[in-house]
Amino acid sequence: MTILSFHSVSKSYGDHQILEQVSFAVHSGNRAALVGANGAGKSTILRLIMNLEEPDEGEVSLINGITIGYLPQTLKTSESISIRQYIYDAQKELHVLQRRMDELTDIMTTAKGTELTASLAEYSRVSSRFEQRGGYDIEYRTRLVMEGLGIGNLHEERRLATLSGGQQTRVGLAALLIETPDLLLLDEPTNHLDAQALNWLENYLSEYPGTVLMSSHDRQFLNRTVNLIIEVDD
């Protein structure tokens, strides 16, 4: 199943042509990598997918109903937000699903007949999605990811603004991995990782339940993590 596709997409900044008639597709479950020289348009492709920019020509298509997580090269956050709040905010869909499960549980305590049948059916759908997104093991996964990326020692109430750029990027990556979106977009995720965190990320992505599209200059990392290479030729 195709989860993402570009159809003859072109993008320019003034007189500078970045992308010209670009077409490719990413299927569900792919671990895909954008490779190419600096300035070839890899980051632009990710921003187009996120609808942060509009193509001059062509079409970017995404399958309906999917969740998307995006890690830019530089994380932009509120000056006052804490690590705990940032990670909590990244799990918005899980919170919505949890609230609906609680509501349905209350309804089912008194419902009868067709109302009970409908509530049971909806609860089954909602709880399946909650499980698919990792809602039942969220606390364990949070500890696992934070420790794996080497930031488990940071106090959860510490403000992101007080962290180094590298630490901020790791927190941003951690929030996305914990969120577990259907499509994970990563722009140079290895830039601020040491060897231990890099090895952990390779293993984690190999078991990631969704689809991954990332840009990276680390060919060794890509060789061990992806099954699809999309070369952006400048």
Side-chain angles (χ1 to χ4, degrees):
M1 176 175 60
T2 301
I3 194 170
L4 159 70
S5 58
F6 271 49
H7 306 278
S8 301
V9 172
S10 297
K11 179 67 179 179
S12 298
Y13 299 105
D15 295 331
H16 185 39
Q17 183 89 41
I18 297 293
L19 302 174
E20 185 174 4
Q21 296 293 303
V22 171
S23 297
F24 67 87
V26 176
H27 299 292
S28 179
N30 274 156
R31 308 285 188 274
L34 297 165
V35 300
N38 286 334
K42 302 185 298 298
S43 295
T44 299
I45 287 173
L46 297 178
R47 289 196 296 270
L48 287 168
I49 297 170
M50 289 300 299
N51 204 30
L52 298 174
E53 299 191 25
E54 295 287 337
D56 299 330
E57 297 178 3
E59 182 182 11
V60 179
S61 300
L62 288 161
I63 193 170
N64 289 333
I66 63 168
T67 54
I68 306 175
Y70 170 55
L71 180 73
Q73 291 191 37
T74 302
L75 202 64
K76 296 181 180 179
T77 65
S78 164
E79 286 287 322
S80 61
I81 195 169
S82 67
I83 294 173
R84 180 191 61 78
Q85 188 64 48
Y86 183 83
I87 291 175
Y88 179 87
D89 289 348
Q91 301 162 16
K92 289 179 180 177
E93 188 193 9
L94 282 178
H95 303 319
V96 171
L97 293 171
Q98 181 67 72
R99 284 194 296 271
R100 186 54 183 160
M101 288 165 61
D102 292 341
E103 291 169 357
L104 289 167
T105 298
D106 290 340
I107 291 171
M108 289 185 294
T109 59
T110 57
K112 296 179 181 179
T114 56
E115 183 184 15
L116 178 59
T117 301
S119 297
L120 284 168
E122 184 181 354
Y123 187 89
S124 178
R125 293 193 300 271
V126 174
S127 62
S128 293
R129 178 63 175 169
F130 188 75
E131 181 177 14
Q132 178 189 3
R133 295 297 306 282
Y136 290 110
D137 65 350
I138 188 69
E139 292 184 6
Y140 164 75
R141 199 166 68 256
T142 297
R143 292 194 301 271
L144 176 71
V145 171
M146 297 291 281
E147 291 292 338
L149 291 175
I151 50 177
N153 62 327
L154 296 177
H155 195 283
E156 64 177 9
E157 295 302 330
R158 185 169 172 182
R159 290 185 298 115
L160 260 66
T162 68
L163 304 179
S164 68
Q167 288 174 321
Q168 289 183 12
T169 298
R170 291 193 190 206
V171 170
L173 178 56
L176 288 180
L177 297 179
I178 296 164
E179 180 192 1
T180 322
D182 300 312
L183 175 60
L184 185 62
L185 305 176
L186 306 175
D187 196 353
E188 298 291 347
T190 66
N191 277 356
H192 300 286
L193 301 183
D194 58 22
Q196 183 175 350
L198 189 61
N199 182 66
W200 179 89
L201 182 60
E202 290 172 3
N203 293 328
Y204 194 88
L205 290 179
S206 70
E207 302 294 331
Y208 189 76
T211 303
V212 181
L213 176 62
M214 57 184 159
S215 70
S216 177
H217 288 94
D218 190 333
R219 293 301 182 102
Q220 191 173 22
F221 171 76
L222 295 180
N223 287 340
R224 293 195 290 256
T225 55
V226 307
N227 59 12
L228 174 66
I229 295 289
I230 301 167
E231 185 171 4
V232 185
D233 189 351
D234 62 350

